[in-house]
Amino acid sequence: MAPVLLRSRQVVGVLLDSPREGRRSVRRLSLNVSGRELAPAISIRRTFREFWPDTRGLRRLFAAGVVFAILAALCEVVAIRLFGHITDEVLTTRELDAFWVPAFIWLGLAAIAGAASFGGTYLTALGAERFLLGLRDRVYAHIQTLAPEFSEKRRLGDLMARLTDDVEAIEELVGSGLVRLITTSASVVFFAGAAFLIRWDLALITMALIPLFLVVSKVFASRFRVAAARERRSNGAMNSVLEEGLANQPLVQAYNRQGAESRRLHDEGQGWLRANMTQAWLSGLYGPAVQVIETVCLIVILGFGAWEIASGRLTIGGLLAFAAYLAMLYPAVQSLGQLALTVSEAAAGSDRVIEILSSKPGVTDADDAVDAGRTSGRIEFDRVGFAYPGRNRPVLRDLSFTAGPGEVVVFSGPSGAGKSTLVKLLLRFYDPDHGRILLDGIDLRRLTRRSLRENVTVLHQETLMFSGTVRDNIAYARPDATIDEVMKAAETAGVHEFAKALPQGYETPVGQRGRLLSGGQRQRIAIARAILRDAPVLVLDEPMTGLDAATAAQVMRPLQRLMAGRTTLLITHDMRYVPENARVVEIEPVRQRDRIRLKRAGVPFHPFRGNNCKRP
Ligand SMILES: Nc1ncnc2c1ncn2[C@@H]1O[C@H](COP(=O)(O)OP(=O)(O)O)[C@@H](O)[C@H]1O
Ligand SMILES: [Mg+2]
């Protein structure tokens, strides 16, 4: 019976292994190793300081989880004692009358323990999931307040890992990790205490074997960490091969590189296989190693016990209960050792999230920022100078021009001269180092960013699209727009011409980043989106790039309809698409010449500096 009991760890098993544990332990362990390689591990205290507030509203859930888990452990303690009692009073004496009462109590205890264990697992999981939901929302919302440059500078896969795996690692420290720490510690105290109550001297001897478990855990854990780090690296490499290969599929096939790409995946996959096999080997060996130690302990106890029983100082029931307590105690101790390890590893993962949260947006609203409302769209750049943060060479110097409603100002100049940079300044992703930018005479720094951006529509060089339908992509500008408004914008933008021929019309999915459409079609959807948005200022950043002459001509007419009545800044170096009455500002790289020249539709004007860029 004892061995059966020794293996009956249902309740404690649930206590020690949090529900998410099995699913994630390998991933988490490996993740934190890579986290540690990327940045020094930060202290657990800092993690708690940053993320403890995220448990607000969940603390009662976690506390209830702890209470239930402890109740379950207590039931287990009493049940084992009852088992000893039954052995001594019923089995040894063969008096069946004494069996029923303890048997029913045992049954009752099992029911309570089961219910408590369920409650503990459920409530802790609920708290953990809500924590994850809240923290992920918070980190994502924070990223959206940062300039787009924040994510442009980083690998998307890495950012996504931070929002998923790293956030989970934090939860396992601050949320369910804490729950496990408390409940496992309580179990250790209960089981050790119960063993001491039976025979303190015997308990002392057997406790002396506890360090053996810790040594074995340690030996395995360090090896496991190394293997996990390799697995993580291979996994990252494999993901990037896949990501690049799939995103560039047209290139791969056109250049007949399919075989090379497949080999790259295979090679990385082989590294992954080897690392995983090392892990499988280690975890396969770990179980038996622990079992050997447990068996040694059991034999030691039985040996001592036999001697003690012979001399009448211990009953058989007492011995069996004692053995059972130890069988519960050892895994609890082991789990505590592992917890300490994983907790410190989890802390390392959290600094990747803290790095995001501590990134400040370069530009924020002033305390007394005003709402611009709907402006007339008059733009003025007044001797604007700007260098990117951390770069000493300015991109723009002394740039001045004005543009009012109905006017088109064209910016041309070589690639890298700073044309797109002036758009970023206009949207206030950055503030100029010198000079000012005004909208309707108000310095942009005095406006809320939200109201400023409401007044400006940008059509980017590469049409940005989501993978929804044609209609979704147009309505993105104004989710509350009626279907009639969407249709009207689509008609003006020339979307209707091709949309009606699509298999499901406006409900046709556009594919990953709109890849199922042609460049000209994508651009016309973007124009429809801009028409629907109806902002007074329009910025077109090389809208014809990548379009052939015929397609560009098709796009031109909708574009002119869009420009009508608005202040338009048109960035292009193709003078074919510049309207007749447009003024042209030529922007040259600062390092060659820090001057800006004014030309009219290809005809050079006198070089000028300063604020001369008004309509001649
Ligand atoms: N986020 C950035 N950080 C640092 N330098 C940048 C950044 N974005 C652009 N640059 C640099 O600023 C210069 C102007 O870029 P850009 O305005 O995009 O030129 P373009 O006139 O082709 O639109 C380039 O030399 C580019 O390398
Ligand atoms: Mg550009």
Side-chain angles (χ1 to χ4, degrees):
M1 186 122 183
V4 176
L5 196 71
L6 289 179
R7 299 272 156 251
S8 82
R9 290 183 197 149
Q10 323 87 311
V11 177
V12 174
V14 171
L15 285 180
L16 300 184
D17 304 323
S18 85
R20 315 183 64 94
E21 194 56 14
R23 202 146 39 93
R24 286 204 238 125
S25 56
V26 172
R27 208 145 48 92
R28 184 197 50 210
L29 191 59
S30 52
L31 177 97
N32 294 324
V33 171
S34 70
R36 189 197 251 169
E37 282 164 3
L38 291 173
I42 54 152
S43 71
I44 295 173
R45 225 197 298 152
R46 186 168 157 220
T47 307
F48 268 94
R49 206 182 314 133
E50 177 71 36
F51 299 108
W52 181 243
D54 289 287
T55 61
R56 202 171 292 133
L58 305 173
R59 289 172 204 160
R60 246 181 291 170
L61 270 180
F62 285 129
V66 168
V67 169
F68 276 123
I70 287 181
L71 179 64
L74 280 175
C75 289
E76 195 84 1
V77 170
V78 179
I80 291 177
R81 201 80 189 90
L82 269 178
F83 163 72
H85 177 79
I86 292 177
T87 309
D88 285 342
E89 306 300 323
V90 183
L91 303 183
T92 322
T93 59
R94 292 160 204 245
E95 277 183 44
L96 207 58
D97 290 347
F99 172 69
W100 299 109
V101 175
F104 277 109
I105 298 178
W106 194 350
L107 209 59
L109 279 174
I112 296 173
S117 155
F118 168 78
T121 309
Y122 183 82
L123 293 179
T124 308
L126 186 62
E129 295 297 342
R130 287 208 182 142
F131 180 94
L132 282 178
L133 191 68
L135 182 56
R136 200 185 300 116
D137 289 354
R138 174 157 88 97
V139 179
Y140 183 64
H142 184 77
I143 293 180
Q144 291 291 10
T145 68
L146 304 172
E149 195 202 29
F150 177 85
S151 43
E152 283 163 2
K153 270 211 290 216
R154 290 165 167 79
R155 296 199 336 261
L156 277 188
D158 180 62
L159 274 183
M160 280 166 62
R162 294 185 199 211
L163 280 163
T164 50
D165 293 354
D166 286 354
V167 163
E168 287 182 7
I170 293 167
E171 190 286 314
E172 274 160 26
L173 175 55
V174 178
S176 51
L178 200 61
V179 170
R180 284 179 63 211
L181 178 69
I182 297 171
T183 53
T184 314
S185 308
S187 309
V188 167
V189 171
F190 296 155
F191 294 126
F196 267 92
L197 278 183
I198 295 178
R199 280 299 297 269
W200 66 269
D201 46 353
L202 203 54
L204 265 184
I205 296 170
T206 43
M207 303 271 163
L209 291 168
I210 282 182
L212 227 82
F213 285 103
L214 298 182
V215 168
V216 170
S217 304
K218 216 170 156 192
V219 167
F220 274 87
S222 62
R223 265 151 232 225
F224 195 80
R225 255 203 324 260
V226 174
R230 266 195 288 134
E231 185 264 347
R232 185 72 193 173
R233 268 196 297 276
S234 305
N235 191 36
M238 214 161 59
N239 274 341
S240 49
V241 169
L242 276 174
E243 192 189 315
E244 284 174 14
L246 292 177
N248 296 320
Q249 211 175 6
L251 180 74
V252 172
Q253 299 191 359
Y255 280 70
N256 285 329
R257 301 282 297 173
Q258 296 95 320
E261 287 298 321
S262 297
R263 268 196 302 284
R264 243 164 35 111
L265 179 66
H266 183 80
D267 290 347
E268 300 297 356
Q270 248 174 353
W272 193 65
L273 182 146
R274 274 194 296 274
N276 269 322
M277 282 321 293
T278 312
Q279 289 187 19
W281 181 86
L282 283 169
S283 40
L285 211 59
Y286 181 65
V290 167
Q291 212 168 341
V292 167
I293 304 178
E294 278 184 5
T295 310
V296 170
C297 294
L298 187 62
I299 288 171
V300 169
I301 294 166
L302 290 181
F304 264 106
W307 188 40
E308 293 283 294
I309 289 170
S311 56
R313 283 193 295 267
L314 191 64
T315 61
I316 293 182
L319 175 67
L320 289 182
F322 185 87
Y325 283 136
L326 287 185
M328 302 299 247
L329 176 65
Y330 286 146
V333 168
Q334 216 179 299
S335 163
L336 218 50
Q338 264 169 12
L339 196 66
L341 188 102
T342 49
V343 156
S344 62
E345 296 288 343
S350 79
D351 62 352
R352 285 156 50 85
V353 175
I354 291 181
E355 200 239 327
I356 294 180
L357 289 174
S358 56
S359 301
K360 298 260 176 292
V363 171
T364 48
D365 287 352
D367 292 335
D368 55 351
V370 295
D371 192 310
R374 189 180 168 90
T375 65
S376 73
R378 187 174 177 76
I379 298 282
E380 180 172 358
F381 270 57
D382 179 15
R383 302 181 73 90
V384 168
F386 175 73
Y388 279 99
R391 305 278 170 101
N392 39 25
R393 211 174 60 212
V395 176
L396 297 174
R397 186 179 292 172
D398 241 5
L399 173 65
S400 296
F401 68 89
T402 59
E407 289 184 319
V408 179
V409 176
V410 175
F411 298 86
S412 74
S415 158
K419 304 181 298 296
S420 298
T421 302
L422 80 86
V423 181
K424 292 185 205 165
L425 294 180
L426 182 60
L427 286 174
R428 257 198 105 207
F429 291 143
Y430 303 94
D431 280 332
D433 302 322
H434 306 285
R436 341 171 266 166
I437 305 172
L438 309 169
L439 173 63
D440 269 16
I442 311 171
D443 193 321
L444 299 190
R445 281 173 283 218
R446 290 196 41 229
L447 299 175
T448 63
R449 282 170 300 165
R450 179 165 247 291
S451 70
L452 162 67
R453 290 171 193 172
E454 294 270 301
N455 276 283
V456 182
T457 298
V458 180
L459 283 195
H460 290 95
Q461 184 169 336
E462 175 201 359
T463 311
L464 302 176
M465 299 195 80
F466 287 93
S467 54
T469 62
V470 171
R471 185 177 143 190
D472 296 340
N473 270 288
I474 297 174
Y476 190 76
R478 257 179 52 208
D480 61 336
T482 64
I483 179 74
D484 287 343
E485 289 172 309
V486 172
M487 289 302 188
K488 198 154 165 285
E491 228 152 293
T492 316
V495 172
H496 199 67
E497 291 162 28
F498 70 86
K500 60 179 192 278
L502 291 173
Q504 290 145 266
Y506 284 91
E507 303 303 329
T508 310
V510 300
Q512 186 205 116
R513 296 176 191 207
R515 282 210 183 172
L516 300 184
L517 300 175
S518 77
Q521 291 171 336
R522 278 200 295 270
Q523 196 59 294
R524 277 179 275 174
I525 289 181
I527 292 170
R529 194 192 282 161
I531 291 173
L532 194 60
R533 187 145 193 262
D534 191 28
V537 180
L538 180 66
V539 182
L540 308 168
D541 192 349
E542 314 207 20
M544 300 301 181
T545 310
L547 303 187
D548 58 79
T551 316
Q554 266 181 345
V555 171
M556 205 52 225
R557 204 164 311 117
L559 212 48
Q560 272 160 350
R561 285 185 214 130
L562 173 61
M563 282 150 63
R566 296 175 214 275
T567 307
T568 305
L569 311 186
L570 171 60
I571 298 174
T572 183
H573 32 235
D574 196 338
M575 291 300 156
R576 278 179 298 172
Y577 306 115
V578 169
E580 267 300 296
N581 60 345
R583 285 177 296 130
V584 178
V585 177
E586 187 155 304
I587 297 198
E588 295 199 352
V590 164
R591 89 190 108 84
Q592 287 173 20
R593 272 214 359 247
D594 56 8
R595 279 188 299 187
I596 304 140
R597 283 189 300 153
L598 178 68
K599 296 197 294 183
R600 179 185 218 168
V603 187
F605 271 75
H606 300 297
F608 80 103
R609 290 179 63 96
N611 198 11
N612 298 338
C613 189
K614 298 205 171 87
R615 189 189 290 272

